[in-house]
Amino acid sequence: MSGMASDHNTSSQEEYLPNYLQKEDPFASKLSREADIIAGFYLTVIGILSTLGNGYVIFMSSKRKKKLRPAEIMTVNLAVCDLGISVVGKPFSIISFFSHRWVFGWMGCRWYGWAGFFFGCGSLITMTAVSLDRYLKICHLSYGTWLKRHHAFICLAIIWAYATFWATVPFAGVGSYAPEPFGTSCTLDWWLAQASVAGQVFVLSILFFCLLFPTAVIVFSYVKIIMKVKSSTKEVAHYDTRIQNSHILEMKLTKVAMLICAGFLLAWIPYAVVSVWSAFGQPDSVPVQFSVVPTLLAKSAAMYNPIIYQVIDCKFACCRSGELKTLQKKSSMKKSR
């Protein structure tokens, strides 16, 4: 009986064809032409805003590159990842949406899938490193005494190596990149989990090392930070002005990091849920019209970060100007006395 069952499973796996092989043209759009045009305009706006915003962040950071703190270096790296997604990836999908089909063939599909996963993975691992830096800086104060700029650059090398490894693994025959169900974009071949045990191992490895584990580290770090801040607010009030100003700056960097991580995860988690559903649910159980919405939402993640930088910087500048006016008033009162 067990032999018959294994034969049946093997035959069912051999008979299974993913959605992109069930059609004569896997790159033909499964959406209406009007929907493709709307998606194309949406991605055009997102791409322009993301390119300008992240380019501005990188340009302004380059003007004070020798004064950047380790956490700010990580933030610049995140802007580089977001700019890479916008410049390298979005033009392919924009042209394809307006053309009502993927026009770059299998080579372009694999390149687009690799670039998207490479920069996306780099963004998430960068945010993981930032969250750990914030956790150690806020919850273990002695950590800040030995962290130097060269440690941040070593961390960047590890981040890029990690992203390169996982993005290139599919080219080693373990997995692959394939068209999305709606035809005008490409991604990891999540449907391999429907075909074989090796495909399931590949998909589960990607989910754990490139989503679940980094997300768990981020959530742990910021939960511990929130608990620490609640318990230490009164203690900081007794320190001198220099320590209080340093604490304010660290909290500013922490708020930026928390908002960036929240925006990234909110944009990508729906896409991850749909991908897991496609990989381990019933074959082709995700409606095509439903699958395009999380994809477009995930592509907008690169636009949020520059907005977050500016909002926090404006609030921080207002706080600093308020503190400066207070100090000026105190000094003038002392002089008059």
Side-chain angles (χ1 to χ4, degrees), residues 165-181:
F165 172 78
W166 285 107
T168 310
V169 160
F171 293 128
V174 180
S176 64
Y177 294 100
E180 297 268 17

Side-chain angles (χ1 to χ4, degrees), residues 124-125 128 162 207-219:
L124 183 56
I125 303 304
T128 305
Y162 192 93
L207 286 173
F208 179 79
F209 289 104
C210 300
L211 179 63
L212 297 179
F213 178 69
T215 303
V217 173
I218 291 171
V219 172

Side-chain angles (χ1 to χ4, degrees), residues 133-277:
D133 171 79
R134 297 292 85 208
Y135 164 69
L136 294 172
K137 189 74 175 180
I138 301 297
C139 301
H140 301 277
L141 298 179
S142 59
Y143 165 75
T145 61
W146 62 266
L147 179 67
K148 306 299 180 184
R149 284 167 56 92
H150 68 271
H151 293 117
F153 290 115
I154 292 172
C155 188
L156 291 185
I158 295 173
I159 290 169
W160 288 110
Y162 192 93
T164 301
F165 172 78
W166 285 107
T168 310
V169 160
F171 293 128
V174 180
S176 64
Y177 294 100
E180 297 268 17
F182 48 88
T184 47
S185 181
C186 293
T187 183
L188 280 167
D189 193 348
W190 301 104
W191 302 272
L192 285 174
Q194 299 280 356
S196 65
V197 174
Q200 293 175 1
V201 171
F202 164 73
V203 171
L204 288 173
S205 299
I206 291 292
L207 286 173
F208 179 79
F209 289 104
C210 300
L211 179 63
L212 297 179
F213 178 69
T215 303
V217 173
I218 291 171
V219 172
F220 168 81
S221 298
Y222 290 123
V223 168
K224 297 293 287 186
I225 287 172
I226 292 171
M227 294 171 62
K228 181 67 176 179
V229 168
K230 285 185 176 180
S231 63
S232 63
T233 302
K234 294 181 179 179
E235 297 176 8
V236 175
H238 298 292
Y239 295 154
D240 60 31
T241 304
R242 183 177 60 84
I243 295 177
Q244 288 182 6
N245 291 339
S246 177
H247 179 75
I248 291 172
L249 178 57
E250 294 299 336
M251 291 311 302
K252 174 216 169 184
L253 294 174
T254 303
K255 287 179 182 178
V256 170
M258 290 178 69
L259 288 173
I260 288 172
C261 291
F264 184 91
L265 293 176
L266 288 174
W268 278 96
I269 283 178
Y271 179 78
V273 170
V274 171
S275 299
V276 173
W277 184 4

